[in-house]
C-alpha cells in the first residue's frame, strides 16, 4: 500500500513476509516438530528476500545474522536451499540482470585505500542518523490519533512527489543518479536530506514496506556527496562510483548492525567482486562508528514497536530456536 501512494518503502519487506506466510501453512502440515516448523518458516523468509534482490547467499546469511542472531547448520542448509530455489524461479521469470545495474566500477589501487576510511565514517553516521530520526518521527506520530497517522504520511508524500519526485518509492533510481553524480553536490545533498526525512516519516507511520532499499539509497546519496567532496581534496574523479557502492554497504551495516549481510548483499546486487575487500573494510569502519554512537538496530526498533502494539506476540513466541536445537540434540 505504501508503495502505491509513493511512500519511501521498498519491496523486500513484503517479500520476506509473503515468503514466511506462504511457508507457514506448509510447515504446519509437513513438520514433525516445532523445530522443523520454525526452520521451514525461516526458509520461506529467506526465499522472499532472495526473490526480491536476486541475492540467495545474502538471504541465507540474513536468516542467520538478523532473524536468529546465531549460527545454525539447520538454518544454513534449509535457508540456502530455499533461497537458491527462489532465485532460480525469479531469474526464469524476470531475467538475470542485477537489481542495481551499475556502470563499470574501477578497481581500487592500494594507494586509494585511504579514501575508504571517510566513506566508512560517513556510512556509519548515516545509519545512526537514520535510526535515531526514525525514533524521533515515531514518537511524534504517537502524539497523533491513530486514525490520522496514515493520512498525514500520505499528505507528506504529496509535496515530495510534486517537487522532488526522485525521492519517492524505494530508491533504485536514486542509486543510479548517485553513481553518475552528474547533477552536482547541492542537488545530491538536497536529495539525501529529503530521502532520509521522507523515509523516516514513511516508516514512522507504521505503513507496511521494506527498509533495505531506502537505506541503500540514502547510503548511495551520501557516498556520492562525499565522493564529490573528496575529489576536491585529490581523490581521482572515477572513484566517486566506488564511494557510492561502499557507503551503500556501510549504511546498511550501520543501520541493521549486520555487517556480513551488508557486504554480501551489495556484492550480489551489483554483480561485481572487484570491490569486495574495500567493501569489507568500509563496512567494518561503519560498524565500529555505529557501535561508538550506540546505534540500536533498526529491525530491533521495529520489533519493539510491534510488540508494544501487540503484547501477545511475546506470549505466543515460544522457545528460541537455539533452545529447540539443544533439546533436539539432547533427545538424539
Amino acid at each position: 500500500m505504501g508503495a502505491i501512494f509513493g511512500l519511501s518503502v521498498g519491496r523486500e519487506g513484503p517479500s520476506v513476509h509473503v515468503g514466511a506466510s506462504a511457508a507457514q501453512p506448509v510447515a504446519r502440515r509437513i513438520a514433525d516438530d516445532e523445530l522443523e516448523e520454525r526452520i521451514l518458516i525461516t526458509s520461506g523468509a529467506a526465499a522472499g528476500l532472495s526473490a526480491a534482490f536476486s541475492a540467495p547467499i545474502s538471504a541465507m546469511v540474513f536468516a542467520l545474522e538478523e532473524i536468529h542472531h546465531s549460527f545454525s547448520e539447520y538454518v544454513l542448509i534449509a535457508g540456502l536451499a530455499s533461497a537458491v530455489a527462489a532465485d532460480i524461479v525469479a531469474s526464469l521469470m524476470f531475467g538475470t540482470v542485477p537489481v542495481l545495474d551499475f556502470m563499470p566500477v574501477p578497481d581500487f589501487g592500494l594507494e586509494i585505500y585511504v579514501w575508504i576510511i571517510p566513506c566508512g565514517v560517513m556510512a556509519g553516521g548515516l545509519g545512526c542518523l537514520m535510526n535515531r530520526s526514525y525514533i524521533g518521527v515515531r514518537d511524534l506520530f504517537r502524539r497523533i490519533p491513530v486514525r490520522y497517522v496514515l493520512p498525514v504520511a500520505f499528505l507528506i508524500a504529496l509535496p515530495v512527489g510534486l517537487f522532488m519526485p526522485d525521492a519517492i518509492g524505494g530508491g533504485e533510481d536514486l542509486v543510479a543518479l548517485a553513481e553518475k553524480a552528474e547533477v552536482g553536490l547541492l542537488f545530491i545533498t538536497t536529495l539525501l536530506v529529503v530521502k532520509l526525512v521522507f523515509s523516516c516519516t514513511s516508516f514512522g507511520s507504521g505503513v507496511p514496506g521494506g527498509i533495505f532499499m531506502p537505506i541503500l539509497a540514502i547510503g548511495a546519496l551520501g557516498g556520492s556527496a562525499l565522493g564529490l567532496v573528496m575529489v576536491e581534496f585529490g581523490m581521482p574523479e572515477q572513484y566517486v562510483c566506488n564511494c557510492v557502492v561502499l557507503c551503500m554497504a556501510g549504511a546498511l551495516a550501520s543501520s541493521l548492525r549486520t555487517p556480513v549481510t551488508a557486504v554480501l548483499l551489495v556484492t550480489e546486487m551489483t554483480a561485481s567482486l572487484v570491490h569486495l575487500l574495500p567493501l569489507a573494510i568500509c563496512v567494518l569502519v561503519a560498524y565500529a562508528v555505529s557501535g561508538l554512537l550506540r546505534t540500536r538496530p533498526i529491525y530491533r526498533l521495529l520489533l519493539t514497536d510491534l510488540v508494544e502494539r501487540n503484547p501477545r506476540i511475546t506470549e505466543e513466541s515460544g522457545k528460541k530456536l537455539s533452545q529447540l536445537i539443544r533439546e533436539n540434540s539432547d533427545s538424539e
Side-chain angles (χ1 to χ4, degrees):
M1 179 177 67
I4 294 176
F5 287 93
L7 296 184
S8 181
V9 293
R11 64 180 182 272
E12 68 287 344
S15 296
V16 171
H17 296 159
V18 169
S21 299
Q24 186 175 26
V26 177
R28 287 179 174 174
R29 283 182 175 272
I30 67 174
D32 293 330
D33 51 36
E34 185 180 356
L35 174 61
E36 284 191 14
E37 181 179 342
R38 297 272 285 276
I39 290 175
L40 287 171
I41 293 173
T42 300
S43 300
L49 182 60
S50 176
F53 278 147
S54 297
I57 306 299
S58 306
M60 177 267 294
V61 174
F62 178 79
L64 293 169
E65 195 173 24
E66 178 57 41
I67 297 179
H68 292 296
H69 304 284
S70 62
F71 180 85
S72 165
E73 65 273 20
Y74 298 101
V75 176
L76 175 67
I77 296 171
L80 182 59
S82 61
V84 169
D87 188 46
I88 292 173
V89 173
S91 298
L92 290 173
M93 295 181 66
F94 305 110
T96 57
V97 177
V99 175
L100 299 179
D101 194 10
F102 268 74
M103 66 173 66
V105 181
D107 194 5
F108 265 108
L110 291 177
E111 72 281 2
I112 305 296
Y113 271 52
V114 65
W115 299 107
I116 298 175
I117 307 301
C119 289
V121 174
M122 163 69 87
L126 283 175
C128 177
L129 182 61
M130 174 77 181
N131 293 14
R132 293 188 178 181
S133 298
Y134 163 75
I135 294 174
V137 172
R138 176 201 64 184
D139 293 342
L140 184 62
F141 272 123
R142 285 179 174 175
R143 301 177 184 178
I144 302 174
V146 175
R147 62 181 179 275
Y148 297 131
V149 170
L150 285 180
V152 168
F154 295 146
L155 285 175
I156 293 173
L158 183 61
V160 174
L162 289 174
F163 299 106
M164 198 70 69
D166 292 321
I168 64 175
E172 292 88 344
D173 293 338
L174 284 180
V175 175
L177 185 148
E179 67 166 324
K180 297 175 183 176
E182 297 173 344
V183 294
L185 178 60
L186 179 60
F187 189 67
I188 289 288
T189 305
T190 303
L191 273 175
L192 172 61
V193 173
V194 171
K195 185 64 176 176
L196 194 150
V197 174
F198 186 37
S199 297
C200 291
T201 59
S202 297
F203 283 99
S205 68
V207 68
I211 201 168
F212 268 49
M213 201 62 232
I215 294 174
L216 290 171
I218 289 169
L221 290 170
S224 183
L226 179 63
L228 292 173
V229 171
M230 292 196 298
V231 166
E232 300 299 323
F233 287 90
M235 187 186 76
E237 188 174 357
Q238 67 265 28
Y239 291 115
V240 172
C241 181
N242 293 69
C243 295
V244 171
V245 175
L246 294 176
C247 285
M248 283 170 55
L252 191 65
S254 173
S255 180
L256 272 64
R257 303 288 293 163
T258 53
V260 180
T261 299
V263 172
L264 293 175
L265 182 65
V266 173
T267 299
E268 288 189 286
M269 288 176 67
T270 57
S272 174
L273 295 174
V274 298
H275 46 270
L276 185 58
L277 178 57
L279 265 179
I281 296 173
C282 182
V283 162
L284 288 174
V285 174
Y287 190 76
V289 170
S290 176
L292 290 173
L293 295 175
R294 300 181 184 277
T295 305
R296 294 179 62 193
I298 188 68
Y299 275 119
R300 198 73 56 82
L301 295 172
L302 294 171
L303 178 61
T304 300
D305 288 348
L306 184 63
V307 171
E308 288 177 356
R309 293 197 301 268
N310 188 359
R312 289 182 59 189
I313 293 176
T314 303
E315 300 170 4
E316 300 172 357
S317 60
K319 300 177 182 179
K320 291 184 177 180
L321 183 70
S322 56
Q323 184 177 353
L324 291 173
I325 292 173
R326 283 197 302 269
E327 292 177 356
N328 182 71
S329 300
D330 294 340
S331 63
E332 293 178 353

